[in-house]
mmCIF file of all heavy atoms in Angstrom:
data_model
loop_
_atom_site.group_PDB
_atom_site.id
_atom_site.type_symbol
_atom_site.label_atom_id
_atom_site.label_comp_id
_atom_site.label_asym_id
_atom_site.label_seq_id
_atom_site.Cartn_x
_atom_site.Cartn_y
_atom_site.Cartn_z
ATOM 1 N N LEU A 14 1.973 0.497 24.451
ATOM 2 C CA LEU A 14 2.724 -0.273 23.526
ATOM 3 C C LEU A 14 2.842 0.212 22.046
ATOM 4 O O LEU A 14 3.908 0.278 21.517
ATOM 5 C CB LEU A 14 2.089 -1.720 23.545
ATOM 6 C CG LEU A 14 3.004 -2.891 23.035
ATOM 7 C CD1 LEU A 14 4.196 -3.106 24.049
ATOM 8 C CD2 LEU A 14 2.168 -4.162 22.849
ATOM 9 N N ILE A 15 1.731 0.570 21.421
ATOM 10 C CA ILE A 15 1.709 0.845 20.058
ATOM 11 C C ILE A 15 2.302 2.355 19.886
ATOM 12 O O ILE A 15 3.036 2.651 18.920
ATOM 13 C CB ILE A 15 0.333 0.781 19.344
ATOM 14 C CG1 ILE A 15 0.556 1.123 17.800
ATOM 15 C CG2 ILE A 15 -0.660 1.798 19.959
ATOM 16 C CD1 ILE A 15 1.291 0.117 17.083
ATOM 17 N N ASP A 37 -0.779 10.104 29.520
ATOM 18 C CA ASP A 37 -1.037 8.810 29.831
ATOM 19 C C ASP A 37 -1.464 8.777 31.336
ATOM 20 O O ASP A 37 -1.194 9.682 32.134
ATOM 21 C CB ASP A 37 0.092 7.928 29.632
ATOM 22 C CG ASP A 37 -0.395 6.389 29.489
ATOM 23 O OD1 ASP A 37 -0.588 5.744 30.523
ATOM 24 O OD2 ASP A 37 -0.458 5.875 28.354
ATOM 25 N N ASN A 42 4.792 5.323 31.783
ATOM 26 C CA ASN A 42 4.763 5.596 30.346
ATOM 27 C C ASN A 42 5.118 7.125 30.087
ATOM 28 O O ASN A 42 5.819 7.428 29.133
ATOM 29 C CB ASN A 42 3.372 5.422 29.765
ATOM 30 C CG ASN A 42 3.065 3.925 29.695
ATOM 31 O OD1 ASN A 42 4.050 3.139 29.645
ATOM 32 N ND2 ASN A 42 1.848 3.505 29.513
ATOM 33 N N HIS A 77 -9.100 0.117 23.069
ATOM 34 C CA HIS A 77 -10.457 0.454 22.397
ATOM 35 C C HIS A 77 -11.737 0.518 23.301
ATOM 36 O O HIS A 77 -12.709 0.848 22.778
ATOM 37 C CB HIS A 77 -10.625 -0.361 21.110
ATOM 38 C CG HIS A 77 -10.102 -1.770 21.064
ATOM 39 N ND1 HIS A 77 -8.719 -1.953 21.063
ATOM 40 C CD2 HIS A 77 -10.688 -2.910 21.077
ATOM 41 C CE1 HIS A 77 -8.415 -3.258 20.989
ATOM 42 N NE2 HIS A 77 -9.688 -3.872 21.018
ATOM 43 N N ARG A 80 -12.825 4.792 23.753
ATOM 44 C CA ARG A 80 -12.695 5.638 22.552
ATOM 45 C C ARG A 80 -13.755 6.819 22.533
ATOM 46 O O ARG A 80 -13.450 7.990 22.317
ATOM 47 C CB ARG A 80 -12.947 4.856 21.332
ATOM 48 C CG ARG A 80 -11.942 3.690 21.153
ATOM 49 C CD ARG A 80 -10.797 4.244 20.332
ATOM 50 N NE ARG A 80 -10.204 3.130 19.648
ATOM 51 C CZ ARG A 80 -9.049 2.678 19.998
ATOM 52 N NH1 ARG A 80 -8.263 3.215 20.871
ATOM 53 N NH2 ARG A 80 -8.500 1.581 19.368
ATOM 54 N N LYS A 98 -7.182 1.695 15.536
ATOM 55 C CA LYS A 98 -8.221 0.675 15.232
ATOM 56 C C LYS A 98 -8.467 -0.217 16.388
ATOM 57 O O LYS A 98 -7.455 -0.302 17.277
ATOM 58 C CB LYS A 98 -7.927 -0.136 14.107
ATOM 59 C CG LYS A 98 -6.576 -0.843 14.197
ATOM 60 C CD LYS A 98 -6.602 -2.104 14.877
ATOM 61 C CE LYS A 98 -5.288 -2.494 15.449
ATOM 62 N NZ LYS A 98 -5.439 -3.544 16.444
ATOM 63 N N ASN A 126 -3.667 1.321 9.053
ATOM 64 C CA ASN A 126 -2.406 1.768 8.364
ATOM 65 C C ASN A 126 -2.002 0.923 7.135
ATOM 66 O O ASN A 126 -1.413 1.400 6.152
ATOM 67 C CB ASN A 126 -1.205 1.655 9.469
ATOM 68 C CG ASN A 126 -1.241 0.428 10.196
ATOM 69 O OD1 ASN A 126 -1.983 0.305 11.158
ATOM 70 N ND2 ASN A 126 -0.608 -0.675 9.810
ATOM 71 N N LYS A 184 -0.883 -8.664 24.617
ATOM 72 C CA LYS A 184 -1.141 -8.076 25.871
ATOM 73 C C LYS A 184 -2.528 -8.585 26.367
ATOM 74 O O LYS A 184 -3.404 -8.968 25.649
ATOM 75 C CB LYS A 184 -1.243 -6.495 25.848
ATOM 76 C CG LYS A 184 0.067 -5.905 25.797
ATOM 77 C CD LYS A 184 -0.098 -4.354 25.938
ATOM 78 C CE LYS A 184 0.284 -3.908 27.319
ATOM 79 N NZ LYS A 184 0.392 -2.472 27.492
ATOM 80 N N TYR A 186 -5.085 -7.371 27.605
ATOM 81 C CA TYR A 186 -6.413 -6.679 27.351
ATOM 82 C C TYR A 186 -6.950 -7.226 25.973
ATOM 83 O O TYR A 186 -8.175 -7.170 25.833
ATOM 84 C CB TYR A 186 -6.157 -5.219 27.241
ATOM 85 C CG TYR A 186 -5.530 -4.644 25.939
ATOM 86 C CD1 TYR A 186 -6.329 -4.536 24.817
ATOM 87 C CD2 TYR A 186 -4.205 -4.370 25.838
ATOM 88 C CE1 TYR A 186 -5.742 -4.150 23.666
ATOM 89 C CE2 TYR A 186 -3.696 -3.897 24.698
ATOM 90 C CZ TYR A 186 -4.457 -3.798 23.578
ATOM 91 O OH TYR A 186 -3.934 -3.377 22.376
ATOM 92 N N HIS A 333 2.292 2.800 8.725
ATOM 93 C CA HIS A 333 1.978 3.603 9.849
ATOM 94 C C HIS A 333 2.473 5.121 9.549
ATOM 95 O O HIS A 333 1.703 5.960 9.819
ATOM 96 C CB HIS A 333 2.618 3.131 11.087
ATOM 97 C CG HIS A 333 2.213 1.841 11.621
ATOM 98 N ND1 HIS A 333 2.554 0.620 11.182
ATOM 99 C CD2 HIS A 333 1.102 1.543 12.538
ATOM 100 C CE1 HIS A 333 1.990 -0.293 11.846
ATOM 101 N NE2 HIS A 333 1.046 0.235 12.613
HETATM 102 N N1 LIG B 401 -2.283 -0.319 14.104
HETATM 103 C C1 LIG B 401 -1.520 -1.119 14.714
HETATM 104 O O1 LIG B 401 -0.569 -1.735 14.161
HETATM 105 C C2 LIG B 401 -1.763 -1.389 16.129
HETATM 106 C C3 LIG B 401 -0.931 -2.293 16.911
HETATM 107 C C4 LIG B 401 -1.245 -2.610 18.175
HETATM 108 C C5 LIG B 401 -2.208 -1.947 18.856
HETATM 109 N N2 LIG B 401 -3.073 -1.242 18.166
HETATM 110 C C6 LIG B 401 -4.286 -0.486 18.846
HETATM 111 O O2 LIG B 401 -3.820 0.542 19.649
HETATM 112 C C7 LIG B 401 -4.518 0.661 20.802
HETATM 113 C C8 LIG B 401 -3.623 0.641 22.074
HETATM 114 O O3 LIG B 401 -3.001 -0.559 22.186
HETATM 115 P P1 LIG B 401 -1.687 -0.817 23.046
HETATM 116 O O4 LIG B 401 -1.288 -2.182 22.946
HETATM 117 O O5 LIG B 401 -0.753 0.339 22.900
HETATM 118 O O6 LIG B 401 -2.381 -0.655 24.573
HETATM 119 P P2 LIG B 401 -1.612 -0.279 25.941
HETATM 120 O O7 LIG B 401 -2.526 -0.704 27.060
HETATM 121 O O8 LIG B 401 -0.241 -0.669 25.932
HETATM 122 O O9 LIG B 401 -1.639 1.489 25.856
HETATM 123 C C9 LIG B 401 -2.853 2.112 26.064
HETATM 124 C C10 LIG B 401 -2.449 3.249 26.909
HETATM 125 O O10 LIG B 401 -3.568 4.125 26.980
HETATM 126 C C11 LIG B 401 -3.552 4.692 28.294
HETATM 127 N N3 LIG B 401 -4.879 5.244 28.706
HETATM 128 C C12 LIG B 401 -5.994 4.619 28.895
HETATM 129 N N4 LIG B 401 -7.057 5.525 29.187
HETATM 130 C C13 LIG B 401 -6.373 6.760 29.056
HETATM 131 C C14 LIG B 401 -6.900 8.151 29.404
HETATM 132 N N5 LIG B 401 -8.190 8.289 29.666
HETATM 133 N N6 LIG B 401 -6.026 9.126 29.215
HETATM 134 C C15 LIG B 401 -4.737 8.909 28.934
HETATM 135 N N7 LIG B 401 -4.218 7.659 28.746
HETATM 136 C C16 LIG B 401 -5.059 6.604 28.810
HETATM 137 C C17 LIG B 401 -3.179 3.574 29.297
HETATM 138 O O11 LIG B 401 -2.635 3.990 30.494
HETATM 139 C C18 LIG B 401 -2.168 2.858 28.395
HETATM 140 O O12 LIG B 401 -0.772 3.204 28.800
HETATM 141 C C19 LIG B 401 -5.533 -0.600 20.777
HETATM 142 O O13 LIG B 401 -6.800 -0.098 20.471
HETATM 143 C C20 LIG B 401 -5.002 -1.504 19.737
HETATM 144 O O14 LIG B 401 -6.056 -2.135 18.952
HETATM 145 C C21 LIG B 401 -2.850 -0.854 16.722
#
Side-chain angles (χ1 to χ4, degrees):
L14 200 70
I15 187 65
D37 200 283
N42 285 344
H77 27 292
R80 299 268 203 252
K98 57 77 202 168
N126 47 276
K184 282 190 100 171
Y186 80 78
H333 293 88

